[in-house]
Amino acid sequence: MHLDPFELHRPESVQETIRLARELAPGFDYLAGGTDLLPNYKMHLNVRPHLIALDRVAELQGYDLDRIGAMTRLADLDQDPQIARQYPALGEAVHAVATPLVRASGTVGGNLLVETRCFFFNQSFFWRASLGFCLKADGDQCYVVPQKEKCYATFSGDLAPALEVLGASVELAGPDGRRRLSLEELYAADGDGIQRHRLAPGELLVAVHLPPEARHLRSTYAKLRPRPSFDFPELGLAVALSREGDRLTSLEIATGGLETFPRRFRSITEGFVGATLSTERIGELARTIQAAVRPVHNTAYPPDYRKRMTGVFVRRAVTALWERRGAS
Ligand SMILES: Cc1cc2nc3c(=O)[nH]c(=O)nc-3n(C[C@H](O)[C@H](O)[C@H](O)COP(=O)(O)OP(=O)(O)OC[C@H]3O[C@@H](n4cnc5c(N)ncnc54)[C@H](O)[C@@H]3O)c2cc1C
Ligand code: SF4
């Protein structure tokens, strides 16, 4: 595997970045830490002739508890006790990404926009050529769900579900100006593994914003994967809730690693808010979410196992947060 030559551009402001993107479209990709993009380029997956590096764009750097710049390295958040204390789900999700080496280069923006994955896609050119290419790169058919219209590649970023349950939003900049989207709005909920987010062509993710209320939530992130030291999620589950006395006052649950987008379950969880959470109610919640998720067979573990583990993870995580003492 080798990296084909590309031309590297290194703008220093958001304005200059957007201007370059307009000039080079559609023959470019943004380059953040490169830990996802460059391995894909080495496998000749949708290679572009130009890369716009974001490491010198000042506005994308730095973070505090309200705003996380898109170029913030995962390792910086991982080593920050304030993040772990104020946003446990985010701290646990960051810590679960890949390896220390990948976290040292990988960024928050790159993690939210990481390429979707599938075992027919994340392969060398030679491997893919021997089988015949698929819809997501160079071909016209899908091997997972045989048809020619839609890709079912799996969204496999760890941070998105955690930020989703904390109520985060993303700040975007593009040729038509700035806008904010909730995490839920960022991803294409109609579910296609190729068109994996709702960024307009050339649009740049500038920062993630967290609402102050997120600091009062009990939250957690749990991850299922073959090798805990290394692998992408086969299932990522984030839960955030608040409790007043015996009453559940808010509940958010989101999953990753199962479908083409990170999924939030508001229509299910809102039915549980306002009352107490008994063991039976938690079991009912777990079964309902387990029935709702739709994994397909394109990662290491079979879909039925990932689906069943979703129920197990929901039950464990919600029980632990509900019973935790001394929190809000
Ligand atoms: C061995 C290995 C294991 C891994 N395990 C995990 C894992 O367990 N969990 C996980 O979540 N990830 C995992 N990853 C994937 C990846 O390393 C991380 O998701 C990382 O956070 C990606 O960030 P990056 O800055 O390197 O992104 P890049 O590779 O630079 O970019 C990823 C994508 O986002 C786009 N992009 C980046 N920043 C912006 C921006 N600001 N605006 C617009 N577009 C942008 C790029 O164009 C590209 O399409 C793994 C990678 C490797 C190599
Ligand atoms: S789900 Fe289908 S189209 Fe998408 S990457 Fe896999 S084989 Fe290709």
Side-chain angles (χ1 to χ4, degrees):
M1 288 195 290
H2 69 275
L3 204 51
D4 284 334
F6 52 78
E7 193 173 334
L8 186 67
H9 307 263
R10 298 184 85 186
E12 296 185 358
S13 68
V14 168
Q15 211 179 4
E16 194 188 344
T17 308
I18 301 302
R19 184 183 52 72
L20 265 172
R22 202 170 15 206
E23 277 171 28
L24 300 172
F28 82 95
D29 274 316
Y30 288 127
L31 176 69
T35 59
D36 189 51
L37 191 72
L38 296 181
N40 285 346
Y41 271 27
K42 285 187 179 175
M43 293 195 274
H44 296 269
L45 291 163
N46 302 325
V47 176
R48 306 263 159 75
H50 296 272
L51 286 183
I52 303 180
L54 303 176
D55 59 327
R56 290 186 181 167
V57 183
E59 205 186 322
L60 272 50
Q61 313 291 333
Y63 73 95
D64 58 30
L65 287 178
D66 300 318
R67 178 191 184 279
I68 302 175
M71 282 301 288
T72 302
R73 305 287 164 178
L74 300 177
D76 292 337
L77 296 185
D78 189 24
Q79 284 151 18
D80 186 338
Q82 281 271 77
I83 294 288
R85 198 163 38 245
Q86 302 288 355
Y87 306 125
L90 177 59
E92 288 162 19
V94 166
H95 190 66
V97 175
T99 64
L101 198 59
V102 172
R103 293 197 291 273
S105 300
T107 64
V108 169
N111 193 274
L112 290 178
L113 299 174
V114 69
E115 190 55 87
T116 50
R117 296 182 67 79
C118 169
F119 55 48
F120 292 97
F121 174 74
N122 299 103
Q123 301 289 352
S124 68
F125 184 84
F126 177 77
W127 191 102
R128 290 181 297 118
S130 66
L131 178 72
F133 299 107
C134 83
L135 271 175
K136 194 163 160 65
D138 308 314
D140 69 351
Q141 59 185 314
C142 176
Y143 294 100
V144 175
V145 180
Q147 39 79 51
K148 291 173 181 273
E149 304 297 324
K150 181 173 161 178
C151 166
Y152 288 82
T154 301
F155 178 85
S156 303
D158 281 302
L159 265 51
L163 287 168
E164 217 162 335
V165 299
L166 295 172
S169 59
V170 287
E171 180 185 342
L172 307 174
D176 298 327
R178 303 240 175 179
R179 61 177 180 145
R180 284 256 196 125
L181 292 180
S182 70
L183 259 282
E184 209 168 7
E185 290 163 337
L186 174 64
Y187 298 101
D190 41 339
D192 185 88
I194 297 171
Q195 184 49 52
R196 61 192 197 277
H197 53 62
R198 291 201 163 124
L199 294 195
E203 211 166 21
L204 179 69
L205 198 159
V206 175
V208 174
H209 294 264
L210 284 145
E213 312 84 78
R215 287 176 223 164
H216 304 291
L217 297 171
R218 304 176 180 196
S219 69
T220 190
Y221 181 76
K223 177 169 175 175
L224 176 73
R225 53 180 163 172
R227 295 165 294 183
S229 58
F230 185 77
D231 283 321
F232 282 86
E234 292 284 324
L235 155 65
L237 177 87
V239 181
L241 63 80
S242 54
R243 172 180 181 165
E244 279 172 22
D246 269 347
R247 205 165 65 90
L248 179 70
T249 48
S250 72
L251 175 63
E252 295 289 352
I253 296 181
T255 53
L258 293 174
E259 300 172 66
T260 54
F261 60 100
R263 180 155 173 203
R264 192 168 175 174
F265 298 89
R266 185 161 270 179
S267 62
I268 295 173
T269 54
E270 62 191 6
F272 289 78
V273 173
T276 193
L277 267 188
S278 60
T279 308
E280 290 71 29
R281 287 290 279 166
I282 294 174
E284 189 187 330
L285 172 70
R287 283 191 299 279
T288 312
I289 290 182
Q290 175 176 326
V293 298
R294 299 266 178 277
V296 294
H297 198 195
N298 64 357
T299 64
Y301 288 154
D304 184 51
Y305 177 62
R306 284 149 72 208
K307 198 170 168 68
R308 279 186 287 129
M309 287 307 288
T310 305
V312 173
F313 271 38
V314 169
R315 185 170 42 74
R316 284 184 192 157
V318 173
T319 304
L321 291 179
W322 175 250
E323 291 177 354
R324 186 178 294 171
R325 288 177 188 279
S328 57

